[in-house]
Amino acid sequence: MLRSLGHSAPEGLFAHLPPESRLNRPLDIPDGISEYEIIDYFKARAAEGAVDYASFLGAGSYRHFRPVVVDSLVTRGEFLTSYTPYQAEISQGVLTAIFEFQTMVAQLTGMDVANASMYDGSTATPEAAMMAMRITRRDKLLVAGSLHPEYNEVLDTYLKHLEAPRQQVKYDRESGQLDLADLESQLDDQTAALIVQSPNFFGIIEQIDEIAERVHRHGALLIVMFTESVAMGIVKPPTAADIVAGELQSFAHPPSFGGPSCGVLAAKGKFIRQMPGRLAGETVDADGRRAFCLTLSTREQYIRRAKATSNICTNQALVALMGTIYMTVFGKAGLRELAEQNIAKARYLESVLRDKGAKLEFTGPYFNEFVVRPMQGAAADVNKRALAKNVVGGFELSGPLEGAMLVCATEMNRREEMDRFAEAF
Amino acid sequence: MYPKDYRYTKEHEWVRVAGDVATIGITSHAQDQLGDVVFVELPAANAKLHAGQTFGTVESVKAVSDIYSPISGDVVEINEALIDAPEKINEDPHGDGWLVRAKMANKAELDSLMSAEDYEQYIAAETES
Amino acid sequence: MIKKVRPHQTQNEPLIFERSSPGKFGYQLPELDVPVVDPQTALGAANVRTEIPHFPEVSEVDVIRHYTRLSTWNYAIDLGLYPLGSCTMKYNPRVNEFVARLDGIAWAHPYQPQQLAQGALRIQHDLEMYLAEITGMDAVTLQPAAGAHGELTGILMIRAYLEAQGDARKTVLIPDSAHGTNPATAAMAGYEVKEIPSNARGLIDFAALEAAVDDSTAALMMTNPNTVGIFEEDIAKVAELLHSRGAQLYMDGANMNALVGWARPGDFGVDVMHLNLHKTFSTPHGGGGPGAGPVAVKEHLTPHLPLPRVVKDGETYTAITQAAGSIGRVRAFYGNFGVLVRALAYTLAHGGNGLKNATLDAVLNANYIRKGIEDLYHLPYESPAMHEVVFSDQRQTKQGIKTGDIAKRLIDYGFHPYTVSFPLIVHGALMIEPTETESRQELDLFIDAMRSIAAEAEADPELVRGAPHSTRTSRVNETQAARNPIVKWEPPASQ
């Protein structure tokens, strides 16, 4: 092939590169290794982790059972090794699945429209905030103090240069829910939106309707964010919200050290043209048969460039497909039963921790996570004792909650594990 | 093809004047370049137009085009039919596909616009380059 | 003649909602080993939803059949050449999938104690080291979730760096051949965008750039090789010019598959760049993600790297979550860690020499295609091609055939089309990137198909204009989809 192009040596293909740009030594990377050795390397890394430990960590990344069919389907090469479905005629598989994903996310969140996915919940949140600023043409943002702290940091990174004033709304120290009086005092006619998480970082379900009524009275938008999608199987959807941003990792993706996961963004129908990201839409083909294609693309960077609603291009399609299959497998009855199991497991954990004298920090209704303070010593001491029993304990909190921890119980936590964890208290 | 009593801009808008009210649209050439129009964003019914500045957008599946106002004035009417039937811009760009009507602030602005003949020469030259 | 494919049957399949029937289910949960709790009591009746309206109710076999059938409606790398320019659709090794699913990796929680996360942290550290060596840069962050996210991270770092010197500046310069993500990113980072024209050879117009750079210029965002597949030979001079005016050079690394092992951005003056692991480092595209967009920087930008940072001290790896000067977090946790695992597996498999060979094959394949069809398709730029080649439809438009038509006809020949109508500086562009994955056999079939379509465009333009003819879905009406957006399924009115 080289010779057919008139080159006698491979270097010829790179001869036009300016000499000062050329790398004139081999890369300082060891020689390639075989598949067997690659697996060995990663097995060694995996063994350095918390294999065979029970875990009560949640805090935005959750452990839920993954039905086997999910991987059977998503590892099919036609899903795994295709790309963004720009050529609709040979991408109907992924387009149809995206359409189903959008539908299920809308059904789950109580919104009219959902996009094809965002990177994750933490980046979907600032995108939702910017969307609200475009819609309202206002620039002040209120952020619930019970938002996931890392999400808050990401919000800060995205927005700090935009001269958009951001104010924190307190949570009620007793219930753990948003302090409605504090919200009321900060809302004004410059407020673009309130961002509130529900269940919030402490696992507590917020009073969405009461919050929405106050936010809307000032012409602002309500953005509801969630990190634990399993809650959506039983918790009333935030239909009063204008935009819902969230994280679907719980639906079929293991924690994977925090990523990849699957961000979602859903909204009221009238805001569809201000949404970031891809959308699949229904149409017909030349023979009048139902077909799907990417649509409303003029919102996107590859057409509107500097004026696009976002710079997002590649999203999390394969993880969204995992979520779609997961929602389909569990279905209407399964998601509810799953959520009920999570509620039951968390209540059992609460009871055995209370038996050891630990106290819940908040009184508000929680889903599968709660903040607990040990009777004696701090969370860190408990976690240390738990580790010795092959248990990874809860997430240690700081600030006013110093000494307490956020614990999570899912359908994967057996009773025996919870009893073992309680012994560390 | 291009009505003689209209005036035209380099950005491919047309304007037709009756009394002190100007009707504005995009030219047949513009809609042809754009392809099937799928969405139109128009100003509010009481907006002010400024000659040479954008007042809305016309979108096809794969392109967005800003609309520049040929004249200055106050919008008195927008073509609401386009909201449900943007294809009118493709079907009848110089008639039913009009975008807005505005009360003109300064009729002298018309003098700087092209005649139909000039415009046809202008697009012929543009296509060749 | 169509040699690569012949039609075969595909199954019809409704939407999952239309397959649904009340009472069917495909899940199994174990018996609860703890007391049952009434959700109304636990959450309060007002917080409990009645049901999820119209959610699917199907069996496990229904699920398998449904998604298997859908999958057969997709083209994929596993079926053959997928020459989307700028997307680097190379083979996705399956060992990468295997190792990403090992229990200790897939089930690692981002908050598990760091002494029990040494493996996960080391994976990141090892990959960062390799990427720094490949790019010739001083430090790497693996946090960004995709290329565009990496761009935002990089531009925010430039902003932080300039701000620390007293002035964040106002403008980001971007060549007119750039990906749309570049201007969209600059706007998101609060910068105004100024476009720089390309010259007659498809390269950045240096004189125009010189005239445009001033005290308000924060950075130039440049792709190299650029989107026309040509190496920007003035790149070192460009870097010098920017630096002399206090501005930074950002490189979009989408086309890094042309350079790995042969040239390093760090050596030709780039200050900050991103890589697309789902392009250059073989992680699966998955129908549109997940990707990963690591950002590599020179020493002077390292204080501004996002958090967390993984550092090695002796034999211990630690994630640092506080650092003065950092732009902060760009994403929760550790980025798309599972994608990083796959990219490291790819790097280990190839080693330094293997990576260099892959680049050679990628460039060779692109030039082989160029040579194979350049007598039939208009080549707007004669400059030597790197890993991709851009043609235009100029000759075929005489018969009324546009790049989009040729693309659709390629489908009938059994190939995924190239990238259509991009870059914007080439009217009617055909942007072809074969990658190193393809054998000469597959390339010859592609060349053959392109030659055959060129002949059809002359002899039977209607045949090309009406394509594709052999797919289960004929040409899709995108206009109707945009005029009347239907973005979710609704139950029939009678229900």
Side-chain angles (χ1 to χ4, degrees):
Chain A
M1 279 169 74
L2 258 182
R3 272 192 303 278
S4 75
L5 299 174
H7 294 292
S8 54
E11 282 71 21
L13 288 167
F14 297 86
H16 64 285
L17 267 57
E20 71 275 12
S21 297
R22 292 275 303 270
L23 178 66
N24 292 315
R25 60 165 177 83
L27 283 173
D28 184 16
I29 294 176
D31 284 343
I33 56 176
S34 69
E35 190 166 292
Y36 175 79
E37 294 161 295
I38 293 167
I39 292 172
D40 246 18
Y41 168 91
F42 285 101
K43 277 191 170 160
R45 300 293 79 75
E48 291 160 0
V51 187
D52 297 328
Y53 280 66
S55 170
F56 295 91
L57 285 170
S61 182
Y62 301 93
R63 300 169 70 253
H64 290 288
F65 180 73
R66 307 179 65 230
V68 171
V69 294
V70 172
D71 271 353
S72 309
L73 289 167
V74 301
T75 54
R76 286 185 64 90
E78 300 93 327
F79 284 132
L80 188 74
T81 75
S82 58
Y83 202 17
T84 306
Y86 291 123
Q87 297 292 339
E89 295 81 2
I90 45 170
S91 309
Q92 285 299 302
V94 61
L95 284 162
T96 307
I98 293 172
F99 187 80
E100 292 179 347
F101 173 82
Q102 291 171 181
T103 304
M104 283 187 237
V105 171
Q107 291 167 337
L108 204 61
T109 57
M111 291 289 101
D112 300 323
V113 292
N115 76 5
S117 76
M118 306 297 286
Y119 304 138
D120 76 331
S122 76
T123 54
T125 305
E127 292 274 9
M130 290 186 281
M131 180 176 158
M133 289 160 72
R134 286 194 297 273
I135 292 166
T136 59
R137 296 170 197 259
R138 299 177 179 182
D139 57 9
K140 179 175 140 184
L141 287 171
L142 300 182
V143 183
S146 51
L147 186 75
H148 192 299
E150 292 200 19
Y151 281 49
N152 208 22
E153 290 179 44
V154 175
L155 202 55
D156 196 52
T157 304
Y158 267 70
L159 298 177
K160 62 186 165 200
H161 58 276
L162 293 181
E163 290 172 28
R166 254 162 310 126
Q167 297 172 4
Q168 198 157 88
V169 181
K170 285 190 291 209
Y171 59 88
D172 182 84
R173 200 53 193 81
E174 192 172 319
S175 70
Q177 292 172 319
L178 195 75
D179 183 330
L180 294 177
D182 192 43
L183 169 66
E184 193 81 69
S185 74
Q186 298 196 53
L187 280 164
D188 58 27
D189 64 2
Q190 285 311 304
T191 310
L194 166 75
I195 302 172
V196 63
Q197 177 178 344
S198 182
N200 67 23
F201 183 63
F202 309 127
I204 310 267
I205 298 163
E206 294 284 358
Q207 309 171 71
I208 297 300
D209 291 343
E210 285 80 353
I211 292 169
E213 191 269 318
R214 286 165 177 78
V215 168
H216 289 153
R217 210 190 303 143
H218 291 270
L221 301 188
L222 175 60
I223 299 171
V224 174
M225 198 282 286
F226 65 91
T227 59
E228 173 50 299
S229 46
V230 169
M232 308 296 269
I234 193 112
V235 175
K236 193 165 166 274
T239 44
D242 300 285
I243 305 172
V244 175
E247 173 59 66
L248 237 51
Q249 173 264 325
S250 287
F251 289 174
H253 208 281
S256 187
F257 213 52
S261 53
C262 177
V264 299
L265 200 134
K268 290 269 191 284
K270 60 184 170 185
F271 300 137
I272 192 168
R273 286 180 186 277
Q274 290 300 333
M275 284 179 89
R278 292 182 181 133
L279 280 166
E282 182 181 328
T283 183
V284 293
D285 70 5
D287 301 295
R289 290 174 297 225
R290 177 167 70 188
F292 301 93
C293 64
L294 292 176
T295 195
L296 301 183
S297 306
T298 49
R299 299 166 298 114
E300 293 187 67
Q301 45 76 27
Y302 72 99
I303 294 177
R304 224 180 196 108
R305 301 177 78 84
K307 290 179 183 167
T309 53
S310 166
N311 70 340
I312 192 168
C313 180
T314 287
N315 53 33
Q316 303 282 125
L318 198 71
V319 190
L321 178 64
M322 289 185 196
T324 310
I325 295 168
Y326 183 95
M327 289 188 272
T328 304
V329 170
F330 276 94
K332 189 184 266 190
L335 275 194
R336 191 175 188 92
E337 192 182 332
L338 178 69
E340 286 175 354
Q341 285 214 356
N342 275 256
I343 291 172
K345 294 277 188 171
R347 295 315 177 281
Y348 180 80
L349 180 62
E350 177 192 337
S351 74
V352 293
L353 299 188
R354 278 188 191 277
D355 287 347
K356 301 285 286 188
K359 286 201 166 50
L360 256 57
E361 201 72 5
F362 300 114
T363 57
Y366 71 87
F367 177 61
N368 66 357
E369 283 183 279
F370 56 89
V371 176
V372 63
R373 190 176 288 279
M375 186 168 71
Q376 286 176 340
D381 307 320
V382 171
N383 277 343
K384 203 172 286 171
R385 288 194 292 273
L387 272 186
K389 298 172 187 294
N390 271 30
V391 173
V392 174
F395 178 83
E396 294 162 22
L397 296 162
S398 55
L401 295 170
E402 181 81 43
M405 67 167 99
L406 177 66
V407 294
C408 175
T410 73
E411 78 284 0
M412 289 183 76
N413 291 107
R414 290 188 301 272
R415 180 178 190 143
E416 173 277 321
E417 293 175 353
M418 297 193 270
D419 292 339
R420 188 152 34 113
F421 183 32
E423 284 168 20
F425 272 75
Chain B
M1 172 108 218
Y2 292 94
K4 296 278 181 227
D5 54 336
Y6 289 19
R7 308 288 286 178
Y8 300 86
T9 70
K10 287 185 174 166
E11 289 80 27
H12 310 287
E13 290 86 15
W14 55 258
V15 56
R16 179 184 71 215
V17 179
D20 58 357
V21 173
T23 303
I24 299 166
I26 65 168
T27 66
S28 179
H29 174 76
Q31 65 80 23
D32 188 53
Q33 291 290 304
L34 206 52
D36 291 338
V37 174
V38 297
F39 183 70
V40 188
E41 197 185 355
L42 294 174
N46 55 357
K48 282 200 182 307
L49 302 184
H50 303 280
Q53 292 186 15
T54 63
F55 67 77
T57 53
V58 182
E59 295 184 12
S60 65
V61 171
K62 297 267 162 70
V64 184
S65 188
D66 285 324
I67 318 165
Y68 294 85
S69 183
I71 51 102
S72 305
D74 297 313
V75 173
V76 293
E77 192 182 354
I78 60 167
N79 189 354
E80 306 225 0
L82 296 181
I83 295 165
D84 289 327
E87 60 272 20
K88 282 179 189 293
I89 292 176
N90 297 113
E91 290 160 1
D92 189 9
H94 301 149
D96 277 354
W98 65 276
L99 302 169
V100 296
R101 295 210 165 98
K103 192 162 181 238
M104 291 183 66
N106 177 10
K107 278 193 144 187
E109 283 171 354
L110 294 169
D111 299 340
S112 58
L113 302 176
M114 285 180 275
S115 68
E117 201 176 324
D118 291 346
Y119 180 68
E120 278 177 55
Q121 278 175 11
Y122 172 73
I123 52 176
E126 201 180 48
T127 331
E128 255 166 47
S129 63
Chain C
M1 201 184 86
I2 295 173
K3 294 178 187 164
K4 188 178 169 233
V5 284
R6 65 179 185 208
H8 85 131
Q9 292 181 331
T10 56
Q11 304 282 320
N12 291 329
E13 178 65 15
L15 291 170
I16 196 73
F17 312 102
E18 295 158 342
R19 241 187 191 275
S20 177
S21 47
K24 262 193 172 184
F25 63 94
Y27 74 99
Q28 276 183 314
L29 282 165
E31 285 280 309
L32 265 181
D33 58 358
V34 297
V36 173
V37 174
D38 173 29
Q40 308 246 358
T41 316
L43 308 183
N47 286 321
V48 175
R49 79 190 297 165
T50 47
E51 62 164 8
I52 309 171
H54 312 296
F55 222 58
E57 294 177 86
V58 294
S59 71
E60 183 172 317
V61 180
D62 286 339
V63 176
I64 287 280
R65 290 238 170 99
H66 178 73
Y67 290 102
T68 301
R69 287 174 181 176
L70 296 197
S71 77
T72 64
W73 304 347
N74 282 349
Y75 189 82
I77 298 170
D78 284 1
L79 291 169
L81 175 67
Y82 203 129
L84 268 183
S86 254
C87 296
T88 312
M89 303 297 288
K90 64 171 74 174
Y91 172 62
N92 308 139
R94 291 315 197 270
V95 65
N96 301 1
E97 297 306 304
F98 181 84
V99 297
R101 283 172 170 80
L102 291 171
D103 265 3
I105 289 172
W107 290 90
H109 191 285
Y111 289 139
Q112 71 196 34
Q114 293 203 0
Q115 72 265 28
L116 287 177
Q118 288 297 297
L121 294 173
R122 179 172 161 190
I123 285 169
Q124 294 176 70
H125 187 265
D126 286 359
L127 181 61
E128 281 182 13
M129 274 186 353
Y130 292 141
L131 297 182
E133 166 65 7
I134 288 165
T135 55
M137 308 293 275
D138 297 316
V140 174
T141 173
L142 303 173
Q143 288 292 312
H149 199 213
E151 291 176 29
L152 181 64
T153 304
I155 295 297
L156 288 177
M157 287 171 69
I158 289 175
R159 174 178 272 280
Y161 170 75
L162 294 172
E163 241 161 31
Q165 298 184 342
D167 181 9
R169 302 191 171 200
K170 288 208 158 33
T171 318
V172 169
L173 308 178
I174 298 174
D176 55 5
S177 58
H179 298 115
T181 49
N182 295 175
T185 296
M188 264 176 101
Y191 284 110
E192 282 165 27
V193 174
K194 202 159 155 190
E195 207 166 75
I196 306 296
S198 302
N199 66 21
R201 294 174 56 217
L203 300 168
I204 193 165
D205 184 332
F206 189 77
L209 177 69
E210 213 167 12
V213 184
D214 60 25
D215 290 350
S216 71
T217 308
L220 167 71
M221 290 180 91
M222 210 170 162
T223 308
N224 193 26
N226 64 22
T227 58
V228 200
I230 302 172
F231 190 89
E232 293 279 0
E233 57 190 26
D234 283 339
I235 187 90
K237 223 167 85 184
V238 166
E240 213 171 290
L241 167 68
L242 290 163
H243 294 153
S244 73
R245 310 266 170 94
Q248 298 282 291
L249 177 57
Y250 183 97
M251 187 177 120
D252 181 328
N255 292 342
M256 197 60 198
N257 213 43
L259 300 183
V260 175
W262 294 86
R264 306 193 309 168
D267 297 338
F268 52 70
V270 169
D271 298 296
V272 49
M273 67 175 293
H274 77 264
L275 294 159
N276 300 77
L277 298 187
H278 48 295
K279 296 178 182 176
T280 318
F281 291 83
S282 86
T283 74
H285 281 81
V295 171
V297 296
K298 282 289 179 60
E299 186 66 38
H300 63 283
L301 290 168
T302 53
H304 309 295
L305 283 164
L307 297 168
R309 299 276 312 124
V310 176
V311 296
K312 186 182 181 189
D313 182 13
E315 289 308 306
T316 308
Y317 299 88
T318 313
I320 293 172
T321 55
Q322 303 273 334
S326 166
I327 59 166
R329 283 182 197 271
V330 294
R331 186 202 183 283
F333 312 126
Y334 296 91
N336 278 347
F337 176 74
V339 178
L340 309 177
V341 169
R342 292 167 172 88
L344 179 58
Y346 172 85
T347 309
L348 293 174
H350 281 72
N353 282 327
L355 290 170
K356 186 176 179 181
N357 277 336
T359 305
L360 168 66
D361 288 345
V363 174
L364 179 61
N365 282 353
N367 280 283
Y368 186 75
I369 287 177
R370 171 172 162 163
K371 176 102 186 202
I373 60 175
E374 66 185 350
D375 57 324
L376 297 177
Y377 292 88
H378 171 67
L379 192 65
Y381 302 111
E382 297 286 337
S383 314
M386 297 289 289
H387 68 307
E388 67 190 359
V389 56
V390 177
F391 291 94
S392 95
D393 60 11
Q394 193 178 306
R395 290 197 203 168
Q396 286 71 33
T397 43
K398 294 195 180 88
Q399 273 69 45
I401 301 295
K402 295 181 179 169
T403 174
D405 301 313
I406 301 165
K408 295 294 187 204
R409 184 61 181 149
L410 257 181
I411 295 172
D412 285 330
Y413 280 82
F415 292 98
H416 193 282
Y418 44 78
T419 294
V420 178
S421 300
F422 185 84
L424 304 175
I425 59 166
V426 175
H427 193 266
L430 296 69
M431 185 197 218
I432 305 170
E433 180 184 5
T435 83
E436 70 274 19
T437 298
E438 304 309 327
S439 66
R440 184 173 183 165
Q441 276 171 325
E442 185 82 359
L443 296 173
D444 283 338
L445 281 171
F446 178 76
I447 288 167
D448 206 66
M450 288 297 288
R451 298 191 71 84
S452 178
I453 295 170
E456 286 170 356
E458 298 283 336
D460 188 1
E462 273 315 307
L463 176 70
V464 181
R465 241 193 316 273
H469 301 285
S470 56
T471 46
R472 59 171 285 114
T473 301
S474 53
R475 211 177 273 205
V476 171
N477 188 337
E478 297 184 349
T479 302
Q480 179 176 322
R483 275 187 185 154
N484 177 26
I486 303 171
V487 297
K488 69 170 181 186
W489 174 83
E490 297 280 4
S494 60
Q495 283 186 10

